[in-house]
Amino acid sequence: MSERAAPFYCPYCGDEDLFPHEAGHGAWECRACNRAFQLKYLGLLARGVQSDRSGQSDQPGGEEI
């Protein structure tokens, strides 16, 4: 199994100068704005994607695959 993906940019300043933070798994530090943040997967939504009987999704954004 592969490692988890790293964030591409800081959610606060948008800079790409990110390094793993000592706080542990999912924690990152941005050396441009001197902030630390943590990413956490919360889980799947219970409702999921629903469609009507005609096959049309009630979610905007295109056709089903």
Side-chain angles (χ1 to χ4, degrees):
M1 183 157 259
S2 64
E3 293 184 29
R4 296 184 185 259
F8 293 113
Y9 56 88
C10 174
Y12 298 100
C13 73
D15 200 272
E16 298 176 355
D17 193 20
L18 302 177
F19 292 89
H21 187 62
E22 61 190 31
H25 180 73
W28 295 88
E29 62 183 53
C30 175
R31 295 186 180 166
C33 69
N34 203 30
R35 289 184 171 132
F37 59 94
Q38 188 167 13
L39 302 176
K40 182 178 178 182
Y41 176 70
L42 298 177
L44 296 174
L45 299 176
R47 63 187 155 114
V49 176
Q50 300 174 0
S51 61
D52 62 13
R53 292 180 184 236
S54 66
Q56 299 295 320
S57 173
D58 66 353
Q59 302 292 326
E63 302 175 19
E64 293 182 22
I65 297 176

